[in-house]
Amino acid sequence: MKKYHTLLYYCYSHIDHAEEFAADHLQFCKSLGLVGRIIVADEGLNGTVSGTPEACQTYMDAVHADPRFAETDFKIDEVAEPSFIKMHCRYKPEIVHSGLRDPKIIDPTKETGKHLEPHEFMEMKDRDDVVVLDVRSNYEHNVGRFKNAVTLDIENFREFPDKIEELAAYKDKKILTYCTGGIKCEKASALLLKSGFKDVYQLHGGIIKYGKETGGKDFEGKCYVFDNRVTVDVNHVNPTEVATCHNCGVTSSRMINCANPECNEHFTQCEACGWKMEGCCSDTCMDHPRKRPYDGTGYYVKVPQPVNLEKIRRRNHLTPARNSPPA
C-alpha cells in the first residue's frame, strides 16, 4: 500500500524578499514533516515535496491560500516511501536556470506558448505541420522521450537559448514543447516566440500530467524526475525502452551518478555493470582516490548547510526592497 504523496509543482509569480521567504518556507515545510527540494526566486517557486497525504494536503492548501500562488497546479503521485531524505528550500536567481533573468527579454507571466491539455497535445502531436520539441537536457531525454520528438544536445537548460538557431528550419511549423512538469516550457516557449516563431505551444503539466491523463501513449522509455525515484513509468498504453547501459550497451533505464565526485556524471548503467565498475563510468574514475563507496544505488546525499535566518533578515533590512515588475 502506498502511504505517501509526492507533489511536483511550480508557479511564476513575483516574491518580495524572496531569500527571506525561502528561509521561512523551509521552516514551514519542516513543521509539516515534509522532505523535498524547493527553489525560490524573485520570479516564483519550483518544488518537489513528499510526505503523508495529510501533510501534503496542508501544504497545498497553504500555498493556494497565498494570492501569489493561488493558481499553482500540483501533480500528485502516490508513493510507497518519501521521495527524498531531507528538506531543502533554497533561494536562487531563477526557479529554472536559463540565464534569462531580464523580464524585458522574456516574462512567463506575460507571454508564453499556448497551453495544451494532455489530450489536446496527444491529438496534435502526429500532424504533418507539427514538430514536437523536447526542451530537456541530454540525460533526461536519453532515458525517455516522445516518439519522433526533436531533442537538443544540451547538458543543462541554460544552453537552450544557444540552440534556437538550430531550430530555424521549423519556423513555419507548429512547435509543441514539452518537459517534465511544464516549468522549462514556460521560458522555452517564450523565447521561441521572442525569436520569431509564430505558432508555439506547450504541454500543460508536462510529461507527468500527460501520463496521468492519457495513459502516456507514445512516450518511449521512462521519465526522469528530480528525486530519489530518479525515473518513473509514464506509458501504460504502448510502453517501450529506449535507454542503454553506458558501459555494455544492454537496454537499461537505470540511472546513477558516477562514484567519482570529481566526475559525478549522470548516466545509465545496468545493475551488473554497476557492481563491476563500482558505480563508476570509466576505469579512470574507478582508480580515482576520492571515489565514493558504491552501495548499489549510485545515489549520494549532499550535506545541507544550516540556514542563518537572522543573517538573511538583517541583510534584507539593510537592502532596499526590490520593485515589482510592471503590470
Side-chain angles (χ1 to χ4, degrees), residues 96-98 133-143 150-167 178-179 184-185 187-188 191 226 255 265-266:
V96 59
H97 188 12
S98 67
L133 176 63
D134 192 320
V135 303
R136 300 172 303 154
S137 304
N138 289 335
Y139 63 88
E140 297 174 85
H141 62 66
N142 282 344
V143 77
V150 171
T151 58
L152 302 172
D153 182 15
I154 56 177
E155 296 298 323
N156 190 289
F157 183 63
R158 64 176 173 266
E159 299 172 29
F160 178 80
D162 297 330
K163 296 293 181 178
I164 294 294
E165 288 187 10
E166 294 182 15
L167 301 172
Y178 74 87
C179 59
K184 291 178 180 177
C185 290
K187 287 194 172 183
L191 185 59
F226 296 86
M255 296 197 72
E265 182 181 348
H266 205 35

Side-chain angles (χ1 to χ4, degrees), residues 164-176:
I164 294 294
E165 288 187 10
E166 294 182 15
L167 301 172
Y170 306 124
K171 277 196 172 183
D172 294 331
K173 299 274 191 177
K174 292 181 173 68
I175 308 295
L176 273 57

Side-chain angles (χ1 to χ4, degrees), residues 20-31:
E20 186 171 339
F21 176 94
D24 292 338
H25 201 66
L26 173 63
Q27 298 308 313
F28 172 62
C29 291
K30 286 183 173 181
S31 75

